[in-house]
Amino acid sequence: MTFTKLVVLVVLAASAKAADHDMYHNCSRVDVCSQNRELERQERYQVILEGAMFSQGVASFRVQTADGIEDVGLNITAIEGNIFRVQIEETESSRYHIQDVLDGEPTIVNFDDVQLWLTSAEIFLGSNRAVVNFSPFSIEFYVNDVLTVVIEGDRLTLQNEELHTPFTVGVSFTQALHLYGLHEHADYLALRTTAPGGDDPYRVKTMDLTYYELHSTMAMYGAVPVLYGHGINSTSGLFLHNAAEQWVEITNKDVGADAFFMVDSGALDIFIFLGPSTTDVVRQYTSLTGVAHLPPIWTLGYHQCRWGYADQTDVETVIADLDANDFPVDVIWLDIQHTQDMKFFTWNSENFSDPFDMLANLASTHRYLVTLSDPHFKKEEGYFVYDEATANDYFIKNPDGTNYEDECWPGTSSWMDYLNPAARDYYSSLYLYENWNGTTSTLGGIWNDMNEAAIFNEEIEKTFPYDVVHYGGVSNRDIHNMYGYLQTMATHKGLIDRDNGALRPFILTRAHFAGSQKYAAFWTGDNTAEFGFIPISYSMCLNANLLGLVFCGADVGGFFGEPSEELLQRFYQAGAWLPFFREHSNIGSERREPYLYPEDVQATIRETIKTRYAHLPVWYTLFYEHTRFGDPVIRPLFYHYPNDVELLEIDDQLLVGQNILVKAVGESEVESVQVYFPGGENEIWFSAQLDGTTFPGTGWTDIPVTIERIPVYYRLGSIIPTKQTSRPSTTDMKDDGYTMIVLLRNDEMAEGTIYNDDNLSFEYRDSQKYIYADLSATDMLLVISAIDDSDDEEFEIVIDDIVTLTYNDDGTVVKNSYKHDVNGVPLNQMKYQGKEPLVINLR
Ligand code: NOJ
């Protein structure tokens, strides 16, 4: 039996649904956590006034240990947009500084003023200031004179071990009612207090956590060392620019919350975001680490995946069956089986003997293919990637300089060293059409899986041991968390080069780090077919969206196990309102394509998928706004209702943009669910069924539910651009007209935005070829007007229908639907083509 078959059988046979707590280490088994967790608070460092320097937005101080020995430097830099950068490092330092994560060098701005006192220095920046207290040492950050963030000197340690450079630092968010961030954990959105004897600190390390559990602080595939403190008056945040393993102890107080970082290695380099709003903090963070470019629109449609589509006929049959049963779909995915013996960049010669034919067939129905490509390469002489990478020294090394080898899907493998720019370039080049036989642009996306990296070796927690060495002699300890990031960077370049920069690439990654949004979408990995995994997908994707990682989704149906019909429908209904919408299942589970179910189940799933397609204009506009402003696509309620303390912990409801409110149903056989309607009495929420039902934003309300749909609402005062044409794919909808849904109150204006372009290319970015317009409406007048003067006639907006729902003060709703203007001119003859406003008079 081959190794691969054996592994597959093990996966099939595995029945336990809990993570292996013996194999995955807890705090007590990891030095940096166990040795520091109960660190005493005491004065260890003092700032020396002598020699302090202030120039061009950079303040430098010398710091020494309380007994006057160690020499340490402290730099505080002012960065454009209300950001401070704090770097603390020994003068003689061997600390590793990560590269390629920031989206360009941050722009330094001059301080507005500096005041030097005997015991402190004050650095003024706009309405904020940083105060460096010399002894006891701390750095305080004031927002409009309110103390908001403190870097605590009494838990600062800089350690120097033989092979690495651990450090600890405490940060207090003095105004916070809750902390958010530290993605990725399968946990509540609002971070919990961790404490010795209770929960472990949040472990931030990219790991393949098999059978991840709900509400756990265990490390998972992603590691994003970003933390936001949200209080009633302001939000602030930090980003620890470091890719080593970290453990973060959280202590929530009535007001204020503390985070204690225990970091295994690397530089103490912290960016502090002073908001003051949640939107500001998110924008500050994305201004540093970058935004996602617009996804090609087909990636916003429905994705059909399974670890198990084993040959070309299977691919074609699945698509044909989806079509025959009227399920829109844009993408079908191939897992490891498309390869020859798990050798990436090859096709299985028997089952995928004519990939061109398969791709042509898919293209003929406007469907795309995504295939999987992992970072490990089978050790086999004659396998061209293995040979070339070995010859050029592109694999990760053992300390003795030999190629690092261990087990993964193909058996004994080596791992590409993406820290090496030449290895990255080589890997990118593998995606060129001439190098990867049998590919065309219909193979539109790549799935980078197992890139934490995942290794079949339980002795090492199934990931790289720290003594493996990367390019330039860099220890894995220093870059562990960005290994997957570097792979996606290379894949992204590969796809860009492959199509000469003409097409927007799509990459799905499992491992991710700060800034991964620049290159890839991600999903929440191997979830389980249980109800609890539905709400956790909202919590995880909301957290990620706050941290710039906007293109997030979860395996619909649950990767492990068998969803009941009810569970599958609930998974679809929730998943259709996450940015990335894909059904996926483990090879060991039953097939679950939606057409395999009884007609009533199919009907629910069909309506759910069609609802997704109807709202594509909303998704596409939000993704554009993300590229432009750095905003999240889906948002927790507190993002738009920051002052309502009742909703700060809600994480099974989300806002799509600002105007659509969705509640996941994460329980079995419920007849009603509690929905929190935010915003106060005057914020009215209309049922998205458009049946005239409304709810004021006055908090928790019991809402009856049936299996047909989950609660979804539109906000009064908004205009929701939709396309109600039902078609097999997004490509087929390209030229369809819009249905504008207008949610009004008498005499008040409703508003929205709309974006359109060629759906595929970078011309929106490089040549400003797009339409981005304001929508505004009163009950009898709809106006579309340009936000930018960059509009393009090619992408005209044609409206088929306008549906108005007008809310009266007595709570009644009047619904009207228009296909003609007041003069009887069909709406779809009145095109908006950019520059000139289009005014549609319905009176
Ligand atoms: C692990 C991934 O999480 C899963 O989605 C995929 O199906 C398997 N690897 C096989 O490639």
Side-chain angles (χ1 to χ4, degrees):
M1 185 182 296
T2 64
F3 177 77
T4 311
K5 281 195 185 125
L6 184 72
V7 169
V8 168
L9 286 179
V10 171
V11 171
L12 280 170
S15 57
K17 293 284 186 288
D20 182 343
H21 290 263
D22 290 332
M23 192 252 291
Y24 295 111
H25 297 176
N26 61 15
C27 174
S28 69
R29 292 169 67 195
V30 179
D31 286 353
V32 72
C33 191
S34 62
Q35 291 172 4
N36 291 301
R37 192 173 191 191
E38 300 193 46
L39 183 81
E40 235 178 274
R41 286 184 185 264
Q42 72 180 57
E43 184 174 15
R44 294 184 179 80
Y45 293 99
Q46 293 169 349
V47 173
I48 308 164
L49 181 55
E50 187 185 310
M53 290 197 317
F54 303 88
S55 70
Q56 309 281 338
V58 184
S60 312
F61 302 88
R62 277 178 54 217
V63 179
Q64 64 182 23
T65 51
D67 49 11
I69 303 171
E70 203 173 322
D71 233 352
V72 169
L74 160 67
N75 274 359
I76 299 184
T77 310
I79 310 284
E80 192 173 55
N82 258 349
I83 305 171
F84 279 106
R85 182 177 197 173
V86 176
Q87 291 158 296
I88 304 176
E89 188 150 344
E90 301 87 341
T91 324
E92 301 284 319
S93 164
S94 60
R95 292 183 182 275
Y96 181 76
H97 293 252
I98 58 172
Q99 278 160 33
D100 294 321
V101 168
L102 300 180
D103 192 27
E105 266 308 298
T107 309
I108 299 177
V109 291
N110 280 333
F111 303 134
D112 290 317
D113 193 11
V114 174
Q115 289 183 10
L116 210 48
W117 312 98
L118 270 185
T119 56
S120 66
E122 288 186 275
I123 299 165
F124 293 82
L125 184 65
S127 51
N128 305 318
R129 89 195 124 105
V131 179
V132 180
N133 296 308
F134 298 157
S135 174
F137 168 49
S138 69
I139 310 170
E140 299 172 331
F141 296 91
Y142 290 80
V143 177
N144 298 322
D145 282 331
V146 178
L147 179 63
T148 303
V149 183
V150 183
I151 296 187
E152 301 165 338
D154 60 1
R155 288 204 279 181
L156 173 69
T157 64
L158 298 172
Q159 305 159 23
N160 214 329
E161 307 290 334
E162 196 185 341
L163 294 170
H164 58 126
T165 51
F167 65 86
T168 63
V169 62
V171 182
S172 180
F173 291 88
T174 53
Q175 303 298 320
L177 295 178
H178 286 288
L179 298 180
Y180 305 94
L182 295 184
H183 179 83
E184 177 181 35
H185 299 95
D187 202 7
Y188 301 102
L189 181 63
L191 300 180
R192 290 173 295 136
T193 291
T194 59
D199 284 309
D200 260 359
Y202 287 89
R203 187 181 192 187
V204 181
K205 176 175 182 178
T206 57
M207 308 260 288
D208 176 9
L209 177 60
T210 311
Y211 294 127
Y212 66 80
E213 295 161 17
L214 301 179
H215 306 132
S216 158
T217 59
M218 290 170 85
M220 293 181 67
Y221 320 100
V224 186
V226 176
L227 202 54
Y228 296 154
H230 175 73
I232 288 306
N233 297 316
S234 66
T235 310
S236 50
L238 70 79
F239 164 39
L240 177 54
H241 183 223
N242 176 302
E245 170 168 3
Q246 308 167 15
W247 294 73
V248 188
E249 188 95 279
I250 301 294
T251 311
N252 291 308
K253 305 181 238 170
D254 283 348
V255 177
D258 294 345
F260 178 49
F261 285 80
M262 296 164 268
V263 184
D264 191 50
S265 199
L268 196 168
D269 182 7
I270 298 179
F271 292 89
I272 300 285
F273 310 117
L274 294 179
S277 71
T278 316
T279 307
D280 293 334
V281 168
V282 174
R283 289 181 178 186
Q284 285 154 7
Y285 172 66
T286 49
S287 76
L288 279 186
T289 57
V291 293
H293 58 67
L294 255 178
I297 201 161
W298 55 269
T299 63
L300 297 178
Y302 170 64
H303 299 247
Q304 183 66 51
C305 185
R306 172 174 174 79
W307 178 10
Y309 295 145
D311 59 44
Q312 290 184 214
T313 317
D314 211 357
V315 168
E316 282 156 24
T317 313
V318 169
I319 289 291
D321 286 345
L322 286 166
D323 274 341
N325 291 283
D326 191 23
F327 292 102
V329 59
D330 270 70
V331 199
I332 185 154
W333 291 53
L334 290 177
D335 208 304
I336 36 183
Q337 289 144 315
H338 75 278
T339 60
Q340 185 69 46
D341 305 324
M342 314 294 166
K343 290 182 284 194
F344 302 104
F345 303 100
T346 68
W347 293 96
N348 183 293
S349 59
E350 203 179 313
N351 300 330
F352 294 90
S353 57
D354 194 351
F356 281 129
D357 186 54
M358 173 178 64
L359 289 165
N361 272 324
L362 286 172
S364 72
T365 64
H366 302 148
R367 269 45 177 262
Y368 288 85
L369 182 72
V370 173
T371 57
L372 179 134
S373 202
D374 289 351
H376 57 261
F377 294 90
K378 184 175 171 66
K379 182 185 179 189
E380 182 184 283
E381 277 174 33
Y383 169 32
F384 74 106
V385 183
Y386 181 79
D387 289 347
E388 290 169 5
T390 303
N392 291 299
D393 242 3
Y394 290 158
F395 286 130
I396 288 172
K397 299 277 183 262
N398 292 308
D400 67 5
T402 54
N403 282 351
Y404 171 73
E405 291 172 1
D406 211 325
E407 300 296 313
C408 211
W409 297 124
T412 305
S413 306
S414 282
W415 276 257
M416 192 68 75
D417 184 2
Y418 298 107
L419 195 66
N420 179 348
R424 276 207 302 269
D425 281 349
Y426 167 70
Y427 182 77
S428 300
S429 75
L430 295 173
Y431 289 99
L432 298 177
Y433 294 121
E434 63 260 37
N435 290 338
W436 187 5
N437 257 331
T439 56
T440 68
S441 64
T442 298
L443 200 172
I446 293 296
W447 177 11
N448 286 158
D449 187 24
M450 307 289 276
N451 51 354
E452 298 75 24
I455 298 171
F456 296 157
N457 180 348
E458 303 202 342
E459 298 287 301
I460 49 171
E461 289 189 278
K462 296 191 12 183
T463 191
F464 291 131
Y466 281 150
D467 61 354
V468 301
V469 184
H470 298 259
Y471 177 71
V474 175
S475 157
N476 182 257
R477 278 181 188 277
D478 285 313
I479 62 132
H480 182 94
N481 287 346
M482 60 183 288
Y483 179 74
Y485 172 94
L486 292 169
Q487 185 197 14
T488 59
M489 190 173 154
T491 306
H492 192 262
K493 179 169 184 300
L495 294 183
I496 296 254
D497 291 351
R498 181 190 83 162
D499 293 304
N500 299 318
L503 295 176
R504 300 171 209 159
F506 172 74
I507 297 158
L508 183 78
T509 182
R510 196 169 72 169
H512 44 283
F513 183 62
S516 283
Q517 65 270 12
K518 294 191 286 291
Y519 308 118
F522 83 98
W523 90 112
T524 62
D526 297 347
N527 60 356
T528 300
E530 289 172 8
F531 271 92
F533 283 83
I534 293 177
I536 211 74
S537 68
Y538 274 31
S539 174
M540 294 170 78
C541 284
L542 284 170
N543 199 13
N545 261 258
L546 290 174
L547 307 190
L549 292 150
V550 287
F551 207 173
C552 172
D555 285 351
V556 167
F559 179 74
F560 290 120
E562 308 293 347
S564 64
E565 290 175 2
E566 184 198 13
L567 178 59
L568 186 70
Q569 292 169 84
R570 292 303 191 207
F571 251 117
Y572 267 100
Q573 290 163 340
W577 294 102
L578 288 175
F580 174 61
F581 179 33
R582 180 185 76 156
E583 186 189 72
H584 181 44
S585 50
N586 182 18
I587 190 166
S589 56
E590 301 280 322
R591 288 192 70 139
R592 59 170 85 133
E593 292 76 21
Y595 49 76
L596 297 174
Y597 290 84
E599 183 44 48
D600 58 327
V601 177
Q602 287 198 38
T604 305
I605 297 176
R606 189 176 297 117
E607 182 189 312
T608 303
I609 299 178
K610 289 191 174 188
T611 301
R612 166 68 173 217
Y613 278 73
H615 290 85
L616 281 169
V618 172
W619 288 107
Y620 203 47
T621 302
L622 284 168
F623 266 94
Y624 173 70
E625 288 171 347
H626 165 77
T627 70
R628 185 160 170 153
F629 308 112
D631 296 341
V633 169
I634 54 167
R635 302 162 190 177
L637 301 193
F638 79 81
Y639 189 88
H640 285 293
Y641 305 93
N643 303 327
D644 182 347
V645 287
E646 299 297 318
L647 52 69
L648 300 182
E649 292 175 74
I650 294 177
D651 54 12
D652 62 350
Q653 287 183 214
L654 56 78
L655 291 161
V656 178
Q658 184 170 4
N659 299 328
I660 303 179
L661 174 68
V662 184
K663 163 87 179 187
V665 174
E667 285 167 290
S668 176
E669 295 183 8
V670 283
E671 288 175 359
S672 67
V673 291
Q674 291 281 309
V675 176
Y676 192 93
F677 292 100
E681 254 167 46
N682 290 327
E683 190 87 310
I684 304 297
W685 295 92
F686 292 71
S687 162
Q689 288 303 108
L690 303 186
D691 57 5
T693 320
T694 57
F695 299 90
T698 48
W700 292 111
T701 309
D702 200 47
I703 300 290
V705 285
T706 62
I707 191 64
E708 274 91 31
R709 58 192 67 89
I710 59 173
V712 179
Y713 304 90
Y714 298 141
R715 193 175 65 85
L716 183 143
S718 64
I719 301 177
I720 314 284
T722 67
K723 286 193 177 184
Q724 302 290 340
T725 49
S726 173
R727 305 222 189 249
S729 74
T730 56
T731 309
D732 299 317
M733 291 168 71
K734 183 164 187 346
D735 298 324
D736 289 343
Y738 293 84
T739 296
M740 297 294 179
I741 300 173
V742 183
L743 295 314
L744 279 168
R745 194 197 305 261
N746 277 334
D747 306 327
E748 285 179 16
M749 189 80 101
E751 286 167 325
T753 50
I754 190 163
Y755 175 83
N756 193 16
D757 66 10
D758 67 14
N759 288 340
L760 299 171
S761 83
F762 277 114
E763 291 208 339
Y764 79 94
R765 188 191 64 190
D766 301 338
S767 317
Q768 279 69 55
K769 285 196 158 192
Y770 62 86
I771 278 186
Y772 181 46
D774 259 328
L775 306 170
S776 66
T778 58
D779 60 349
M780 286 296 151
L781 210 61
L782 185 121
V783 181
I784 309 184
S785 54
I787 293 176
D788 289 338
D789 220 4
S790 54
D791 299 351
D792 198 295
E793 288 185 14
E794 222 180 296
F795 312 121
E796 59 193 18
I797 306 276
V798 179
I799 297 177
D800 282 347
D801 306 88
I802 298 172
V803 178
T804 61
L805 275 83
T806 309
Y807 180 82
N808 298 314
D809 289 339
D810 63 3
T812 56
V813 171
V814 178
K815 179 175 174 183
N816 282 306
S817 177
Y818 305 87
K819 281 189 179 299
H820 302 89
D821 80 348
V822 66
N823 299 317
V825 181
L827 298 183
N828 60 13
Q829 288 177 12
M830 306 168 74
K831 295 170 184 164
Y832 174 73
Q833 294 183 313
K835 311 198 179 1
E836 295 308 315
L838 173 68
V839 180
I840 300 178
N841 191 345
L842 304 169
R843 203 181 303 274

